[in-house]
Amino acid sequence: MVSVPNCRDSNTPSFYALEAIKQGSAAVGITSKTHVVLVALKRNAEELGSYQKKIIKVDNHMGIALAGLAPDARVLSNFLRQQAMNSKMVFNRPLNLGKAVYSIADKAQDNTQSAGGRPYGVGLLVAGVDENGAHLFEFQPSGSVLEYVGAAIGARSQAARTYLERKYEDFADASKEQLIEDALTALRDTLSQDKELNAQNTTVAVVGKGENFTIYDDEDVQQWLDRLDTLSNNRNRNEPEDEEQEQEQDPEQPAEPAPEPSEQSDRMDTDE
């Protein structure tokens, strides 16, 4: 009897590939009927080093966000670029999103069963628009590919997924601005308590029907962070008002009769 190794077994290469994704900084993707948004948290190895790119443009209608080993992501993104170029040259049309993600899935799956190879140690969120609408796919090193309305990968990504699960019903009809605000809010939930989003460590990318894949980095991303801060401040101001309204007595309810005066009520209460 031949035993098939489980990818969760710590002795298999797939286990180390998944661990590489979990150690990578977080990336979040959300899609509506017309747009797809990717946001990612960048890291620098040390204070004197530059921040690593987390979102890569593949074609005018498609791009990826990564968590894990950046060199492996560059290999896969270059492969996707070749596929997109071939589609334009041979068929004179942009590469279909489904065909794109399954092409890298097949490439990754070959590495899991060939001698001397290793799985790609990177997870990808593939976002784009084709003739069938807006799409968001998650790619895993095993070759597994699934389409999502909202997805998060990387370190502390469970906190982002929890937020997306609460809000996913609003994504379909959301505007581009609303998608970015929700994606940044989910990304902010993945931060440790001593960190915050800023123009240096945050990247935003948007693609939609009639809108090319656009990446906002550094100073360009500040406009979206300002919108997020404004939204958060408005929510914080509204929460105390809501609590006060709940504490107010319903005017339709009859007031409770005042207690009858007693001898003790004439005495003043003190701390003594």
Side-chain angles (χ1 to χ4, degrees):
M1 181 178 179
V2 179
S3 61
V4 179
N6 190 332
C7 65
R8 297 183 181 275
D9 187 350
S10 59
N11 293 324
T12 63
S14 296
F15 173 83
Y16 294 106
L18 294 175
E19 285 299 310
I21 298 173
K22 293 178 182 179
Q23 296 299 323
S25 55
V28 177
I30 302 177
T31 180
S32 68
K33 294 179 181 178
T34 57
H35 289 83
V36 189
V37 169
L38 295 175
V39 298
L41 185 67
K42 297 185 291 185
R43 284 180 181 168
N44 56 342
E46 55 185 32
E47 293 297 328
L48 299 179
S50 61
Y51 285 87
Q52 193 175 54
K53 282 188 176 182
K54 290 281 293 181
I55 298 180
I56 302 173
K57 181 178 179 179
V58 174
D59 201 352
N60 288 333
H61 71 296
M62 177 172 53
I64 62 173
L66 66 101
L69 301 180
D72 287 0
R74 287 199 298 269
V75 171
L76 293 174
S77 64
N78 288 336
F79 177 76
L80 281 176
R81 288 194 181 108
Q82 293 175 358
Q83 297 296 311
M85 187 181 301
N86 290 338
S87 179
K88 287 184 177 180
M89 294 180 62
V90 176
F91 302 106
N92 194 28
R93 65 187 181 195
L95 180 63
N96 179 273
L97 263 294
K99 184 176 181 180
V101 294
Y102 283 110
S103 66
I104 59 173
D106 292 341
K107 182 178 178 66
Q109 203 279 332
D110 286 342
N111 280 16
T112 65
Q113 61 183 11
S114 59
R118 67 165 177 83
Y120 291 104
V122 66
L124 303 177
L125 296 179
V126 184
V129 177
D130 58 20
E131 65 274 10
N132 297 320
H135 302 279
L136 174 67
F137 291 91
E138 180 183 344
F139 160 85
Q140 294 185 354
S142 62
S144 173
V145 171
L146 292 174
E147 185 170 4
Y148 286 89
V149 174
I153 56 177
R156 302 173 181 263
S157 58
Q158 182 57 50
R161 283 193 292 270
T162 300
Y163 175 84
L164 297 178
E165 289 170 358
R166 293 200 310 264
K167 300 279 292 184
Y168 77 94
E169 294 180 350
D170 301 331
F171 295 158
D173 298 320
S175 64
K176 176 180 73 174
E177 292 76 13
Q178 290 171 331
L179 287 181
I180 295 176
E181 290 171 0
D182 282 328
L184 287 174
T185 302
L187 184 65
R188 186 174 57 185
D189 288 347
T190 67
L191 297 175
S192 56
Q193 294 182 354
D194 59 335
K195 300 291 184 180
E196 62 181 12
L197 298 179
N198 56 53
Q200 286 72 41
N201 66 9
T202 308
T203 302
V204 175
V206 184
V207 62
K209 292 183 178 179
E211 183 176 350
N212 289 340
F213 190 89
T214 305
I215 298 177
Y216 299 90
D217 255 328
D218 300 327
E219 294 83 4
D220 295 333
V221 80
Q222 188 61 49
Q223 56 177 317
W224 303 114
L225 296 177
D226 292 340
R227 289 176 63 96
L228 179 64
D229 292 338
T230 301
L231 181 65
S232 299
N233 292 335
N234 291 337
R235 287 176 178 172
N236 292 335
R237 284 197 298 265
N238 292 334
E239 285 179 358
E241 295 178 0
D242 294 339
E243 292 178 357
E244 291 178 1
Q245 292 177 358
E246 291 178 358
Q247 293 176 357
E248 290 179 357
Q249 185 177 2
D250 189 349
E252 296 181 358
Q253 292 182 352
E256 296 182 0
E260 296 181 359
S262 61
E263 296 180 358
Q264 294 181 353
S265 63
D266 295 335
R267 291 181 296 180
M268 183 180 296
D269 292 333
T270 65
D271 293 335
E272 297 179 357

